[in-house]
Amino acid sequence: MVPAEAEVEILAELRRLRARVPQLTGALAASADGLVLAQDSAAAEAEAVAALTAAALGVAQRLSDSTGQGGFRELLVRGEHGYVATYAAGEVAVLTLMAEPRVNVGRLHLEARRSSLRVAELIEHSLGRRGPRAHIPGAPPA
């Protein structure tokens, strides 16, 4: 979906994010239809996580729309052993993160929102789209 040079830049952003939030155990950028774009994780099941993210994204989008909350922005799942968080990265991609249970969720949201905006920019640039930058709440202004 994205050229190799964009994949390298997306991976670099995922690594910077993990450096800023050390409690992250994995980071994955995927297309909205479940294809892995880049991953920074020891987990071998990136394709499965991307596919499950796409399924959860579909449900989250419908839930958000049907309750009048507008377009999808993010989804947070808290499990017994930590968190899985998914953030919109433009219109065609998502950022999915796995975190330890002790993560500061506010910090996770702040940093992930910034990274999702950067991932969206990288993808849109690689696809030749030059529309107005979307502002994600909590991210620095354009």
Side-chain angles (χ1 to χ4, degrees):
M1 177 179 173
V2 295
E5 58 272 7
E7 182 180 340
V8 168
E9 291 185 54
I10 293 168
L11 180 57
E13 180 59 33
L14 297 180
R15 289 182 174 150
R16 286 190 294 271
L17 175 59
R18 288 192 67 190
R20 293 190 310 266
V21 184
Q23 296 79 24
L24 289 180
T25 58
L28 167 74
S31 66
D33 58 356
L35 300 174
V36 175
L37 302 176
Q39 69 165 1
D40 185 27
S41 172
E45 64 272 341
E47 289 82 14
V49 171
L52 288 168
T53 295
L57 178 62
V59 172
Q61 287 171 327
R62 284 192 299 267
L63 181 62
S64 184
D65 286 343
S66 69
T67 59
Q69 302 307 311
F72 172 79
R73 293 287 181 251
E74 55 198 45
L75 172 68
L76 180 68
V77 176
R78 180 177 176 218
E80 207 175 307
H81 302 291
Y83 293 88
V84 178
T86 298
Y87 301 84
E91 295 181 19
V92 298
V94 293
L95 175 65
T96 296
L97 308 172
M98 287 68 64
E100 297 173 357
R102 64 188 180 93
V103 71
N104 177 319
V105 176
R107 177 74 187 263
L108 173 70
H109 285 321
L110 176 71
E111 297 295 346
R113 289 169 184 156
R114 289 177 178 163
S115 286
S116 67
L117 182 59
R118 178 68 180 137
V119 169
E121 289 173 345
L122 291 168
I123 291 169
E124 289 172 6
H125 178 74
S126 73
L127 296 176
R129 295 182 185 163
R130 290 287 185 156
R133 277 181 68 176
H135 179 72
I136 296 177

